Amino acid sequence: MTTPQNQSFTTQIVHADRLGGAEQGAIHQPIHTSVQYGYEKVEDLIAVFQGTAKGGFNYARQGTPTTAALEAKITKMERGHGTIVFSTGMAGICAVFLTLLKAGDHLVASQFVFGNTNSVLGTLADLGVEVTTVDVTDAANVAAALRPNTRMVFVETIANPGTQIPDLEGIGALCQQRGVLYVVDNTVASPYLFRAATVGAGLVVNSLTKSIGGLGDALGGAITDTGLYDWSRYPNIFAAYRKGDAKGWGLQQLRKKGLRDMGGTLSSHAAHQLALGAETLALRMDRTSATALALAQWLEAHPAIARVHYPMLPSHPQHAFAKKHLKAGSWLLSFELRNPDQCLPVCNRLQLPIKATGLADTRTLIIPVAHTIFWEAGPAVRATMGIADSMIRLSVGLEEAEDLLADFEQALAGA
Ligand SMILES: *Cc1c(COP(=O)(O)O)cnc(C)c1O
């Protein structure tokens, strides 16, 4: 069975599990817990090891039928060439860096990235990879940073927590021109709101823990190859993976080095939970984006608030790009209070938002940024990332907008 490409997003995704053939008529993909996969004839086992058998399994560290079904579902969402899933988003990001870069290579990364990704950039520098971070909202800054040994440019579609949007098209054109691999972390937007392939990304990162899983009950990550990057131009592909169509080389190396060797494998149980969560991606993104926009507009008009960061507000520096390219603004918004001393009291007065880190749960989460997730980064890094001491980050959940607005009204009274 195949689903036509012209069907809408959710129609395709809710049927994706069945495309690989349903066992016993099960309409959802079963959870395969076997670690070992055996074969009738030893030649069949050899074919799996040598990569000549399509889709064969051997040892679950490299994948199971359940993780493969999730991979197929994400490939369908991104309309990509293929996907590998990992135990977490960070495991996927580390696999990209550690399997595709080596000492002496140069990486250009956004100065507005997820805090833990920023921490990994420091580790890479210690391992001998040259790292330059730039303000990616202008592609000219990326162009100025490129060197003959630049292998990769890494950006996030909507940066956390400041919601900056890179010059995604300009950077894409630049990478294509220079043969540089363009990696886009699309976690906050998700493939429903934005497909990074439309701006020329070669690899797309999704933390499945966030938008795609969306229920706050399982960790996971995915790397999707869009099929746009010509791997025959990439110098760091090992000889063993320079076999067959060059379109498959990057993912082959990522699976063997990143999954088989480094072991950041997603369990079948988690893959099943994430695959079910993925079926409601569009519904949740529509809902949380509408609520986040209503809150952003209301907060921007409130006298106690100094600034609101949300892509769908006309005051956002990249609003024109967001309006043109994003279906909606997503669940992430941040704001700054006029009186920084009110930052913690306001968080405490709010009844509905849960004071917790994390993103894209069913429930609204709130956190003061400088005191927590960007504490270790220190004031200098916070300044370059545009993080004010009074910045509060919100991950908007599925609650009714009017209930959240009423709660903010009481919490901000007197702030
Ligand atoms: C959360 C997050 C990650 C890491 O994902 P985990 O699944 O938590 O490891 C990476 N990038 C972005 C933009 C994130 O928000």
Side-chain angles (χ1 to χ4, degrees):
M1 180 197 146
T2 55
T3 49
Q5 280 290 330
N6 62 2
Q7 283 180 352
S8 69
F9 187 89
T10 296
T11 307
Q12 287 194 38
I13 298 312
V14 295
H15 288 282
D17 275 358
R18 308 194 293 132
L19 301 185
E23 294 165 39
Q24 316 288 343
I27 66 167
H28 290 285
Q29 184 65 218
I31 303 174
H32 289 269
T33 57
S34 185
V35 173
Q36 271 72 238
Y37 291 82
Y39 294 87
E40 215 41 62
K41 301 209 324 270
V42 76
E43 286 83 357
D44 294 334
L45 178 63
I46 291 168
V48 172
F49 266 84
Q50 297 187 357
T52 51
K54 202 158 165 44
F57 299 92
N58 60 14
Y59 187 68
R61 195 183 328 105
Q62 283 189 69
T64 68
T66 317
T67 60
L70 177 61
E71 287 171 349
K73 194 174 251 184
I74 293 158
T75 300
K76 195 167 248 316
M77 289 179 174
E78 295 282 3
R79 285 187 250 151
H81 178 68
T83 298
I84 301 177
V85 291
F86 292 86
S87 54
T88 65
M90 287 318 301
I93 289 170
C94 285
V96 168
F97 289 150
L98 295 175
T99 68
L100 296 175
L101 296 172
K102 58 182 172 48
D105 285 345
H106 180 230
L107 164 71
V108 177
S110 167
Q111 74 189 38
F112 315 111
V113 286
F114 183 61
N116 302 151
T117 303
N118 197 54
S119 173
V120 174
L121 297 180
T123 306
L124 289 179
D126 279 352
L127 290 172
V129 175
E130 298 166 24
V131 180
T132 309
T133 55
V134 298
D135 178 349
V136 292
T137 58
D138 185 349
N141 296 331
V142 177
L146 292 182
R147 301 174 188 170
N149 58 337
T150 306
R151 300 278 171 258
M152 187 187 292
V153 172
F154 184 95
V155 303
E156 291 178 6
T157 359
I158 304 175
N160 160 29
T163 75
Q164 296 92 344
I165 298 177
D167 181 353
L168 288 161
E169 283 177 308
I171 298 169
L174 192 65
C175 286
Q176 206 216 350
Q177 201 183 359
R178 303 283 286 264
V180 171
L181 178 62
Y182 188 22
V183 183
V184 177
D185 182 338
N186 197 37
T187 294
V188 175
S190 89
Y192 175 63
L193 299 184
F194 178 73
R195 281 194 318 112
T198 61
V199 292
L203 295 179
V204 185
V205 178
N206 280 290
S207 164
L208 304 176
T209 317
K210 314 291 174 56
S211 306
I212 292 180
L215 307 179
D217 66 341
L219 292 154
I223 307 297
T224 298
D225 187 329
T226 59
L228 296 177
Y229 185 75
D230 177 6
W231 291 100
S232 68
R233 294 177 72 175
Y234 201 74
N236 297 351
I237 301 292
F238 290 86
Y241 312 126
R242 291 181 171 272
K243 294 207 178 105
D245 186 353
K247 265 194 178 315
W249 293 2
L251 281 191
Q252 245 183 115
Q253 181 152 317
L254 262 176
R255 190 178 296 279
K256 298 294 182 186
K257 297 283 170 184
L259 210 53
R260 184 198 62 189
D261 297 0
M262 295 180 186
T265 306
L266 184 69
S267 75
S268 289
H269 290 94
H272 177 81
Q273 284 168 284
L274 295 165
L276 271 184
E279 298 191 3
T280 54
L281 173 65
L283 284 74
R284 290 181 285 100
M285 293 307 275
D286 283 339
R287 165 76 168 221
T288 54
S289 296
T291 307
L293 177 59
L295 262 175
Q297 288 167 335
W298 185 88
L299 286 168
E300 196 171 47
H302 196 283
I305 303 293
R307 281 187 76 183
V308 182
H309 306 274
Y310 191 68
M312 291 303 161
L313 291 179
S315 57
H316 189 281
Q318 292 87 41
H319 179 65
F321 178 92
K323 277 289 280 187
K324 182 162 165 229
H325 294 276
L326 305 182
K327 200 188 292 275
S330 191
W331 35 260
L332 175 70
L333 76 92
S334 56
F335 59 93
E336 295 156 32
L337 290 153
R338 279 192 204 286
N339 178 0
D341 297 340
Q342 282 293 318
C343 180
L344 307 188
V346 164
C347 289
N348 281 329
R349 282 200 293 271
L350 284 163
Q351 299 295 308
L352 274 177
I354 300 168
K355 289 163 272 297
T357 189
L359 297 166
D361 203 301
T362 52
R363 303 107 198 257
T364 297
L365 309 176
I366 193 163
I367 193 161
V369 178
H371 310 69
T372 56
I373 48 177
F374 280 92
W375 179 250
E376 188 184 303
V381 170
R382 286 201 295 271
T384 63
M385 297 179 96
I387 295 166
D389 288 345
S390 71
M391 184 186 263
I392 294 175
R393 181 185 79 183
L394 260 188
S395 168
V396 175
L398 299 176
E399 299 93 340
E400 295 282 349
E402 61 190 42
D403 295 328
L404 282 168
L405 286 168
D407 196 18
F408 271 91
E409 191 154 18
Q410 65 77 23
L412 284 173

